[in-house]
Amino acid sequence: IASAGAAFWDAALAAVAAGAGYEALVAALRATGARGAGLYRPLRAALTQRLDGPELARLLSVMPAATVRDRLEAARRLAAPTDRREGSAAR
């Protein structure tokens, strides 16, 4: 999730906030340069906490929008460097 980067999660959150469905969400993520497993694996991990599972389009159609948003926000926080993380990595 963290390796996808903050821009990936920002794009996902913006697309979901705009009411994007699966195709528009994927298009927004592709605009960040993500492709293949680099796009689908972190998205699936964020939404399901698994690396495999149901088809994402179907999953997004039944997940409550608030749950999708909350899980994407949690992924965004994991991708965001913090002063504490940077400080501990430098030690």
Side-chain angles (χ1 to χ4, degrees):
I1 289 176
S3 66
F8 180 94
W9 300 112
D10 288 341
L13 285 164
V16 168
Y22 173 75
E23 293 296 327
L25 173 59
V26 169
L29 295 175
R30 283 189 177 138
T32 69
R35 299 282 185 274
L39 187 155
Y40 297 104
R41 185 168 284 180
L43 182 60
R44 180 181 305 282
L47 294 175
T48 68
Q49 289 79 51
R50 297 180 53 144
L51 296 179
D52 57 8
E55 180 183 330
L56 285 174
R58 183 174 294 162
L59 178 71
L60 285 170
S61 73
V62 298
M63 280 182 82
T67 301
V68 171
R69 185 192 64 244
D70 291 348
R71 291 182 180 182
L72 293 175
E73 286 174 351
R76 173 61 176 89
R77 286 191 299 274
L78 288 173
T82 65
D83 291 338
R84 190 170 77 205
R85 280 190 202 160
E86 289 173 1
S88 64
R91 290 181 193 171

Coordinates of all heavy atoms in Angstrom, one line a residue:
I1 N 0.8 -1.2 0.0 CA 0.0 0.0 0.0 C 0.9 1.2 0.0 O 0.7 2.2 -0.8 CB -1.0 0.0 1.2 CG1 -2.0 -1.1 1.0 CG2 -1.6 1.3 1.4 CD1 -3.0 -1.3 2.1
A2 N 1.9 1.3 0.9 CA 2.7 2.5 1.0 C 3.5 2.7 -0.3 O 3.7 3.8 -0.7 CB 3.7 2.3 2.1
S3 N 3.9 1.6 -1.0 CA 4.7 1.8 -2.2 C 4.0 2.4 -3.4 O 4.6 2.8 -4.3 CB 5.3 0.4 -2.6 OG 4.3 -0.5 -3.0
A4 N 2.6 2.3 -3.3 CA 1.9 3.0 -4.4 C 2.1 4.5 -4.4 O 2.0 5.1 -5.4 CB 0.4 2.6 -4.2
G5 N 2.4 5.0 -3.2 CA 2.7 6.5 -3.2 C 1.4 7.3 -2.9 O 0.3 6.9 -3.2
A6 N 1.7 8.5 -2.3 CA 0.7 9.4 -2.0 C -0.2 9.9 -3.1 O -1.4 10.0 -3.0 CB 1.2 10.6 -1.2
A7 N 0.5 10.1 -4.3 CA -0.3 10.6 -5.5 C -1.3 9.6 -5.9 O -2.4 9.9 -6.4 CB 0.7 10.9 -6.6
F8 N -1.0 8.3 -5.8 CA -1.9 7.2 -6.2 C -3.2 7.3 -5.3 O -4.3 7.3 -5.8 CB -1.2 5.9 -6.0 CG -2.1 4.7 -6.3 CD1 -2.0 4.1 -7.6 CD2 -2.9 4.1 -5.3 CE1 -2.7 2.9 -7.9 CE2 -3.6 2.9 -5.6 CZ -3.5 2.4 -6.9
W9 N -3.0 7.4 -4.0 CA -4.1 7.5 -3.1 C -4.9 8.8 -3.2 O -6.1 8.8 -3.0 CB -3.7 7.2 -1.7 CG -3.0 5.8 -1.6 CD1 -1.7 5.5 -1.4 CD2 -3.7 4.6 -1.9 NE1 -1.5 4.1 -1.5 CE2 -2.7 3.5 -1.8 CE3 -5.0 4.2 -2.2 CZ2 -3.0 2.2 -2.0 CZ3 -5.3 2.9 -2.4 CH2 -4.3 1.9 -2.3
D10 N -4.2 9.9 -3.4 CA -4.8 11.2 -3.6 C -5.8 11.1 -4.8 O -6.9 11.6 -4.8 CB -3.8 12.3 -3.8 CG -3.1 12.7 -2.5 OD1 -3.6 12.3 -1.4 OD2 -2.0 13.3 -2.7
A11 N -5.3 10.5 -5.9 CA -6.1 10.3 -7.1 C -7.3 9.4 -6.8 O -8.4 9.7 -7.3 CB -5.3 9.7 -8.3
A12 N -7.1 8.4 -6.1 CA -8.2 7.5 -5.8 C -9.3 8.2 -4.9 O -10.5 8.1 -5.2 CB -7.7 6.2 -5.0
L13 N -8.8 8.9 -3.9 CA -9.8 9.7 -3.1 C -10.5 10.7 -3.9 O -11.7 10.9 -3.7 CB -9.0 10.3 -1.9 CG -8.6 9.3 -0.8 CD1 -7.6 9.8 0.1 CD2 -9.9 8.8 0.0
A14 N -9.8 11.4 -4.7 CA -10.5 12.5 -5.5 C -11.5 11.9 -6.5 O -12.6 12.4 -6.6 CB -9.4 13.3 -6.3
A15 N -11.2 10.7 -7.1 CA -12.1 10.1 -8.0 C -13.4 9.6 -7.2 O -14.5 9.8 -7.7 CB -11.5 8.9 -8.7
V16 N -13.2 9.0 -6.1 CA -14.3 8.5 -5.3 C -15.1 9.7 -4.8 O -16.4 9.6 -4.8 CB -13.8 7.6 -4.1 CG1 -14.9 7.3 -3.1 CG2 -13.2 6.3 -4.7
A17 N -14.5 10.8 -4.3 CA -15.2 11.9 -3.9 C -16.1 12.5 -5.0 O -17.2 13.1 -4.7 CB -14.3 13.0 -3.4
A18 N -15.6 12.4 -6.3 CA -16.4 12.9 -7.4 C -17.5 11.9 -7.9 O -18.2 12.2 -8.8 CB -15.4 13.2 -8.6
G19 N -17.6 10.8 -7.2 CA -18.6 9.8 -7.5 C -18.2 8.8 -8.6 O -19.1 8.2 -9.2
A20 N -17.0 8.7 -8.8 CA -16.5 7.8 -9.9 C -16.8 6.4 -9.6 O -16.7 5.9 -8.5 CB -15.0 7.9 -10.0
G21 N -17.2 5.7 -10.7 CA -17.4 4.3 -10.6 C -16.1 3.6 -10.9 O -15.0 4.2 -10.9
Y22 N -16.1 2.3 -11.0 CA -14.9 1.5 -11.2 C -14.0 2.0 -12.4 O -12.8 2.2 -12.2 CB -15.3 0.0 -11.3 CG -14.1 -0.8 -11.7 CD1 -13.2 -1.2 -10.7 CD2 -13.9 -1.3 -13.0 CE1 -12.1 -2.0 -11.0 CE2 -12.8 -2.1 -13.3 CZ -11.9 -2.4 -12.3 OH -10.8 -3.2 -12.6
E23 N -14.6 2.1 -13.5 CA -13.9 2.5 -14.7 C -13.2 3.9 -14.5 O -12.0 4.1 -14.9 CB -14.8 2.5 -16.0 CG -15.3 1.1 -16.4 CD -14.1 0.2 -16.8 OE1 -13.1 0.7 -17.3 OE2 -14.3 -1.0 -16.5
A24 N -13.9 4.8 -14.0 CA -13.4 6.2 -13.8 C -12.3 6.2 -12.7 O -11.3 6.9 -12.8 CB -14.5 7.2 -13.4
L25 N -12.5 5.3 -11.7 CA -11.4 5.2 -10.7 C -10.2 4.6 -11.3 O -9.1 5.2 -11.0 CB -11.9 4.3 -9.5 CG -10.9 3.9 -8.5 CD1 -10.4 5.2 -7.8 CD2 -11.6 3.0 -7.4
V26 N -10.3 3.6 -12.1 CA -9.1 3.0 -12.7 C -8.4 4.0 -13.6 O -7.2 4.1 -13.7 CB -9.5 1.7 -13.4 CG1 -8.4 1.2 -14.3 CG2 -9.9 0.6 -12.4
A27 N -9.2 4.7 -14.4 CA -8.7 5.7 -15.3 C -7.9 6.8 -14.5 O -6.8 7.2 -14.9 CB -9.7 6.4 -16.1
A28 N -8.4 7.2 -13.4 CA -7.7 8.2 -12.5 C -6.4 7.6 -12.0 O -5.4 8.3 -11.9 CB -8.6 8.6 -11.4
L29 N -6.4 6.4 -11.6 CA -5.2 5.7 -11.1 C -4.2 5.5 -12.2 O -3.0 5.7 -12.0 CB -5.5 4.4 -10.4 CG -6.3 4.6 -9.1 CD1 -6.7 3.3 -8.5 CD2 -5.6 5.5 -8.1
R30 N -4.6 5.2 -13.4 CA -3.7 5.1 -14.6 C -3.1 6.4 -14.9 O -1.9 6.4 -15.3 CB -4.5 4.5 -15.8 CG -4.7 3.1 -15.7 CD -5.3 2.5 -17.0 NE -5.4 1.1 -16.9 CZ -6.5 0.4 -17.3 NH1 -7.4 1.0 -17.9 NH2 -6.5 -0.9 -17.1
A31 N -3.8 7.5 -14.7 CA -3.2 8.8 -14.9 C -2.0 9.1 -14.0 O -1.2 10.0 -14.3 CB -4.3 9.9 -14.7
T32 N -1.9 8.4 -12.9 CA -0.7 8.5 -12.0 C 0.5 7.7 -12.5 O 1.6 7.8 -12.0 CB -1.0 8.1 -10.6 OG1 -1.2 6.6 -10.6 CG2 -2.2 8.8 -10.0
G33 N 0.3 6.9 -13.6 CA 1.3 6.1 -14.1 C 1.2 4.6 -13.7 O 2.0 3.8 -14.1
A34 N 0.3 4.3 -12.8 CA 0.1 3.0 -12.3 C -0.4 2.1 -13.4 O -1.3 2.5 -14.1 CB -0.8 3.0 -11.1
R35 N 0.1 0.9 -13.5 CA -0.4 -0.1 -14.5 C -0.4 -1.5 -13.8 O 0.4 -1.8 -12.9 CB 0.5 -0.1 -15.7 CG 0.6 1.2 -16.5 CD -0.7 1.4 -17.3 NE -0.6 2.5 -18.2 CZ -0.9 3.8 -17.8 NH1 -1.3 4.0 -16.6 NH2 -0.8 4.8 -18.7
G36 N -1.2 -2.4 -14.4 CA -1.2 -3.8 -14.0 C -1.2 -4.0 -12.5 O -2.0 -3.4 -11.8
A37 N -0.3 -4.9 -12.0 CA -0.3 -5.2 -10.6 C 0.0 -4.0 -9.7 O -0.5 -3.9 -8.6 CB 0.7 -6.3 -10.3
G38 N 0.7 -3.0 -10.3 CA 1.0 -1.8 -9.5 C -0.2 -0.9 -9.3 O -0.2 -0.1 -8.4
L39 N -1.3 -1.2 -10.1 CA -2.5 -0.5 -9.9 C -3.5 -1.3 -9.1 O -4.0 -0.9 -8.1 CB -3.1 -0.2 -11.3 CG -4.4 0.7 -11.3 CD1 -4.5 1.4 -12.6 CD2 -5.6 0.0 -11.0
Y40 N -3.7 -2.6 -9.5 CA -4.7 -3.4 -8.9 C -4.4 -3.9 -7.5 O -5.2 -4.0 -6.6 CB -5.1 -4.5 -9.8 CG -5.7 -3.9 -11.1 CD1 -5.0 -3.9 -12.3 CD2 -7.0 -3.4 -11.1 CE1 -5.6 -3.4 -13.4 CE2 -7.6 -2.9 -12.2 CZ -6.8 -2.9 -13.4 OH -7.4 -2.3 -14.5
R41 N -3.1 -4.3 -7.3 CA -2.7 -4.9 -6.0 C -2.9 -4.0 -4.9 O -3.5 -4.3 -3.9 CB -1.3 -5.5 -6.1 CG -0.9 -6.2 -4.8 CD 0.4 -7.0 -5.0 NE 0.0 -8.1 -5.8 CZ 0.8 -9.1 -6.2 NH1 2.1 -8.9 -5.9 NH2 0.5 -10.1 -6.9
P42 N -2.4 -2.7 -4.9 CA -2.6 -1.8 -3.8 C -4.0 -1.5 -3.6 O -4.5 -1.3 -2.4 CB -1.7 -0.6 -4.1 CG -1.3 -0.7 -5.5 CD -1.5 -2.1 -5.9
L43 N -4.8 -1.3 -4.7 CA -6.2 -0.9 -4.6 C -6.9 -2.1 -3.9 O -7.7 -1.8 -2.9 CB -6.8 -0.6 -6.0 CG -8.2 -0.2 -6.0 CD1 -8.4 1.0 -5.2 CD2 -8.7 0.0 -7.4
R44 N -6.7 -3.3 -4.3 CA -7.4 -4.4 -3.7 C -7.0 -4.6 -2.2 O -7.8 -4.8 -1.4 CB -7.0 -5.7 -4.4 CG -7.7 -7.0 -3.8 CD -7.4 -8.2 -4.5 NE -7.6 -8.2 -6.0 CZ -8.8 -8.3 -6.5 NH1 -9.9 -8.5 -5.7 NH2 -9.0 -8.2 -7.8
A45 N -5.7 -4.4 -1.9 CA -5.2 -4.5 -0.5 C -5.9 -3.5 0.3 O -6.3 -3.8 1.5 CB -3.7 -4.4 -0.5
A46 N -6.0 -2.3 -0.2 CA -6.6 -1.2 0.6 C -8.1 -1.5 0.9 O -8.6 -1.3 2.0 CB -6.5 0.1 -0.1
L47 N -8.8 -2.0 -0.2 CA -10.2 -2.2 0.0 C -10.6 -3.5 0.7 O -11.6 -3.5 1.4 CB -10.9 -2.2 -1.4 CG -10.8 -0.8 -2.2 CD1 -11.4 -1.0 -3.6 CD2 -11.5 0.2 -1.4
T48 N -9.8 -4.5 0.6 CA -10.1 -5.8 1.1 C -9.2 -6.3 2.2 O -9.5 -7.4 2.8 CB -10.2 -6.9 0.0 OG1 -8.9 -7.1 -0.5 CG2 -11.2 -6.4 -1.1
Q49 N -8.0 -5.7 2.3 CA -6.9 -6.2 3.2 C -6.4 -7.5 2.8 O -5.9 -8.3 3.5 CB -7.4 -6.2 4.7 CG -7.5 -4.9 5.3 CD -8.8 -4.2 5.0 OE1 -9.9 -4.8 5.1 NE2 -8.8 -3.0 4.5
R50 N -6.6 -7.8 1.4 CA -6.1 -9.1 0.8 C -5.5 -8.8 -0.5 O -5.8 -7.7 -1.1 CB -7.3 -10.1 0.6 CG -7.9 -10.5 1.9 CD -9.0 -11.4 1.6 NE -8.5 -12.5 0.7 CZ -8.9 -13.8 0.8 NH1 -9.8 -14.1 1.7 NH2 -8.4 -14.7 0.0
L51 N -4.6 -9.6 -1.0 CA -4.0 -9.5 -2.3 C -4.8 -10.2 -3.4 O -4.5 -10.0 -4.6 CB -2.6 -9.9 -2.3 CG -1.7 -9.1 -1.4 CD1 -0.3 -9.6 -1.4 CD2 -1.7 -7.6 -1.8
D52 N -5.8 -11.0 -3.0 CA -6.6 -11.7 -4.0 C -8.0 -11.6 -3.5 O -8.3 -11.3 -2.3 CB -6.2 -13.1 -4.2 CG -6.2 -13.9 -2.9 OD1 -6.7 -13.4 -1.9 OD2 -5.8 -15.1 -2.9
G53 N -9.0 -11.9 -4.3 CA -10.4 -11.8 -3.9 C -11.3 -11.5 -5.1 O -11.0 -11.8 -6.2
P54 N -12.5 -11.0 -4.7 CA -13.5 -10.8 -5.7 C -13.1 -9.7 -6.8 O -12.2 -8.9 -6.5 CB -14.7 -10.4 -4.9 CG -14.2 -9.8 -3.7 CD -12.9 -10.6 -3.4
E55 N -13.8 -9.8 -7.9 CA -13.6 -8.8 -8.9 C -13.8 -7.4 -8.3 O -14.8 -7.1 -7.7 CB -14.5 -9.0 -10.0 CG -14.4 -8.1 -11.2 CD -15.5 -8.4 -12.2 OE1 -15.9 -9.5 -12.4 OE2 -15.9 -7.4 -12.9
L56 N -12.8 -6.5 -8.6 CA -12.9 -5.1 -7.9 C -14.2 -4.4 -8.4 O -14.8 -3.6 -7.6 CB -11.7 -4.3 -8.2 CG -10.5 -4.7 -7.4 CD1 -9.2 -4.0 -7.8 CD2 -10.7 -4.5 -5.9
A57 N -14.5 -4.5 -9.7 CA -15.7 -3.7 -10.1 C -17.0 -4.2 -9.4 O -17.8 -3.3 -8.9 CB -15.9 -4.0 -11.6
R58 N -17.1 -5.5 -9.2 CA -18.2 -6.0 -8.4 C -18.2 -5.6 -7.0 O -19.2 -5.2 -6.3 CB -18.3 -7.5 -8.5 CG -19.5 -8.1 -7.9 CD -19.6 -9.6 -8.1 NE -19.8 -9.8 -9.5 CZ -19.7 -10.9 -10.2 NH1 -19.2 -12.0 -9.5 NH2 -19.9 -11.0 -11.5
L59 N -17.0 -5.7 -6.4 CA -16.8 -5.3 -5.0 C -17.2 -3.8 -4.8 O -17.9 -3.5 -3.8 CB -15.3 -5.5 -4.6 CG -14.9 -5.1 -3.2 CD1 -15.6 -6.1 -2.2 CD2 -13.4 -5.1 -3.0
L60 N -16.7 -2.9 -5.6 CA -17.0 -1.5 -5.5 C -18.5 -1.2 -5.6 O -19.0 -0.3 -5.0 CB -16.2 -0.7 -6.5 CG -14.7 -0.5 -6.1 CD1 -14.0 0.1 -7.2 CD2 -14.6 0.3 -4.8
S61 N -19.2 -2.0 -6.4 CA -20.6 -1.8 -6.6 C -21.5 -2.1 -5.4 O -22.6 -1.7 -5.3 CB -21.1 -2.6 -7.8 OG -21.2 -4.0 -7.6
V62 N -20.9 -3.0 -4.5 CA -21.7 -3.3 -3.3 C -21.1 -2.7 -2.0 O -21.8 -2.8 -1.0 CB -21.8 -4.9 -3.2 CG1 -22.5 -5.5 -4.4 CG2 -20.4 -5.5 -3.0
M63 N -19.9 -2.2 -2.0 CA -19.4 -1.6 -0.8 C -20.0 -0.2 -0.6 O -20.1 0.5 -1.5 CB -17.8 -1.4 -1.0 CG -17.0 -2.7 -0.7 SD -15.3 -2.3 -0.8 CE -15.0 -1.7 0.8
P64 N -20.4 0.1 0.6 CA -20.8 1.4 0.9 C -19.8 2.4 0.6 O -18.6 2.2 0.9 CB -21.1 1.4 2.4 CG -21.3 -0.1 2.8 CD -20.4 -0.8 1.8
A65 N -20.2 3.6 0.1 CA -19.2 4.6 -0.3 C -18.4 5.1 0.9 O -17.2 5.3 0.7 CB -20.0 5.8 -0.9
A66 N -19.0 5.1 2.0 CA -18.2 5.6 3.2 C -17.1 4.6 3.6 O -16.0 5.0 4.0 CB -19.2 5.8 4.4
T67 N -17.4 3.3 3.4 CA -16.4 2.3 3.6 C -15.2 2.4 2.7 O -14.0 2.3 3.0 CB -17.0 0.9 3.6 OG1 -18.0 0.8 4.6 CG2 -16.0 -0.2 3.9
V68 N -15.6 2.6 1.4 CA -14.5 2.8 0.4 C -13.7 4.0 0.7 O -12.4 3.9 0.7 CB -15.2 2.9 -1.0 CG1 -14.1 3.3 -2.1 CG2 -15.9 1.7 -1.5
R69 N -14.3 5.1 1.0 CA -13.6 6.3 1.4 C -12.7 6.1 2.6 O -11.5 6.5 2.6 CB -14.5 7.5 1.6 CG -13.8 8.8 1.8 CD -14.8 9.9 2.4 NE -15.3 9.5 3.7 CZ -16.5 9.2 4.0 NH1 -17.5 9.3 3.0 NH2 -16.9 8.9 5.2
D70 N -13.2 5.5 3.6 CA -12.4 5.3 4.8 C -11.2 4.4 4.6 O -10.1 4.7 5.1 CB -13.3 4.6 5.9 CG -14.4 5.5 6.5 OD1 -14.3 6.8 6.2 OD2 -15.3 5.0 7.2
R71 N -11.4 3.4 3.8 CA -10.3 2.5 3.5 C -9.2 3.1 2.6 O -8.0 2.9 2.8 CB -10.8 1.1 2.9 CG -11.5 0.4 4.0 CD -12.0 -1.0 3.5 NE -12.8 -1.6 4.5 CZ -13.3 -2.8 4.4 NH1 -13.1 -3.5 3.3 NH2 -13.9 -3.4 5.4
L72 N -9.6 3.9 1.7 CA -8.7 4.7 0.9 C -8.0 5.7 1.7 O -6.8 5.9 1.5 CB -9.4 5.3 -0.3 CG -9.9 4.3 -1.4 CD1 -10.7 5.1 -2.4 CD2 -8.9 3.4 -2.0
E73 N -8.7 6.4 2.6 CA -8.0 7.3 3.5 C -7.0 6.6 4.4 O -5.9 7.2 4.6 CB -9.0 8.1 4.3 CG -9.8 9.1 3.5 CD -11.0 9.7 4.3 OE1 -11.3 9.3 5.4 OE2 -11.6 10.7 3.8
A74 N -7.3 5.5 4.9 CA -6.3 4.7 5.7 C -5.1 4.4 4.9 O -3.9 4.5 5.3 CB -7.0 3.5 6.3
A75 N -5.3 4.0 3.6 CA -4.2 3.6 2.7 C -3.3 4.9 2.5 O -2.1 4.8 2.5 CB -4.7 3.1 1.4
R76 N -4.0 6.0 2.3 CA -3.3 7.3 2.1 C -2.4 7.6 3.3 O -1.2 8.1 3.1 CB -4.3 8.4 1.8 CG -3.7 9.8 1.7 CD -2.7 9.9 0.5 NE -2.2 11.2 0.3 CZ -1.1 11.7 0.9 NH1 -0.4 11.0 1.8 NH2 -0.7 12.9 0.7
R77 N -2.9 7.4 4.4 CA -2.1 7.7 5.7 C -0.9 6.8 5.7 O 0.2 7.2 6.1 CB -2.9 7.5 6.9 CG -3.9 8.6 7.1 CD -4.6 8.6 8.5 NE -5.3 7.4 8.7 CZ -6.6 7.2 8.4 NH1 -7.3 8.2 7.8 NH2 -7.2 6.1 8.7
L78 N -1.0 5.5 5.3 CA 0.1 4.6 5.2 C 1.2 5.1 4.2 O 2.4 4.8 4.4 CB -0.3 3.2 4.9 CG -1.1 2.4 6.0 CD1 -1.6 1.1 5.4 CD2 -0.2 2.2 7.2
A79 N 0.8 5.7 3.2 CA 1.7 6.1 2.1 C 2.3 7.5 2.4 O 3.3 7.8 1.8 CB 0.9 6.2 0.8
A80 N 1.8 8.2 3.4 CA 2.3 9.5 3.7 C 3.5 9.4 4.7 O 3.3 8.9 5.8 CB 1.2 10.4 4.3
P81 N 4.6 10.0 4.3 CA 5.7 10.0 5.3 C 5.4 10.9 6.4 O 4.7 11.9 6.2 CB 6.9 10.5 4.5 CG 6.3 11.2 3.3 CD 5.0 10.6 3.1
T82 N 5.8 10.6 7.6 CA 5.6 11.4 8.8 C 7.0 11.8 9.3 O 8.0 11.1 9.0 CB 4.8 10.8 9.9 OG1 5.5 9.6 10.3 CG2 3.4 10.3 9.3
D83 N 7.1 12.8 10.1 CA 8.3 13.2 10.7 C 8.9 12.0 11.6 O 10.1 11.8 11.5 CB 8.2 14.4 11.6 CG 7.9 15.7 10.8 OD1 8.2 15.7 9.6 OD2 7.3 16.6 11.3
R84 N 8.0 11.3 12.3 CA 8.5 10.2 13.1 C 9.1 9.1 12.3 O 10.1 8.6 12.6 CB 7.4 9.7 14.0 CG 7.9 8.8 15.1 CD 6.8 8.5 16.1 NE 5.9 7.5 15.5 CZ 4.6 7.4 15.9 NH1 4.1 8.1 16.8 NH2 3.9 6.5 15.3
R85 N 8.4 8.7 11.2 CA 9.0 7.7 10.3 C 10.3 8.1 9.8 O 11.2 7.3 9.7 CB 8.0 7.4 9.2 CG 6.8 6.5 9.6 CD 6.1 6.0 8.4 NE 4.8 5.7 8.7 CZ 3.8 5.6 7.9 NH1 3.9 5.9 6.6 NH2 2.6 5.2 8.3
E86 N 10.4 9.3 9.3 CA 11.6 9.8 8.7 C 12.7 9.8 9.7 O 13.8 9.4 9.4 CB 11.4 11.1 8.0 CG 10.6 11.1 6.8 CD 10.2 12.4 6.2 OE1 10.7 13.4 6.8 OE2 9.5 12.5 5.2
G87 N 12.4 10.3 10.9 CA 13.4 10.3 12.0 C 13.9 9.0 12.4 O 15.1 8.7 12.6
S88 N 13.0 8.0 12.4 CA 13.4 6.7 12.9 C 14.2 6.0 11.8 O 15.0 5.2 12.1 CB 12.2 5.8 13.3 OG 11.3 5.6 12.2
A89 N 13.9 6.3 10.5 CA 14.6 5.6 9.4 C 16.1 6.2 9.4 O 17.0 5.5 8.9 CB 13.9 5.9 8.1
A90 N 16.3 7.4 9.8 CA 17.6 8.0 9.8 C 18.5 7.5 10.9 O 19.7 7.7 10.8 CB 17.4 9.5 9.8
R91 N 17.9 6.9 11.9 CA 18.7 6.5 13.1 C 19.5 5.3 12.8 O 19.4 4.4 12.1 CB 17.8 6.2 14.3 CG 17.2 7.5 14.8 CD 16.4 7.2 16.0 NE 15.6 8.4 16.3 CZ 14.6 8.5 17.1 NH1 14.3 7.4 17.8 NH2 14.0 9.6 17.3

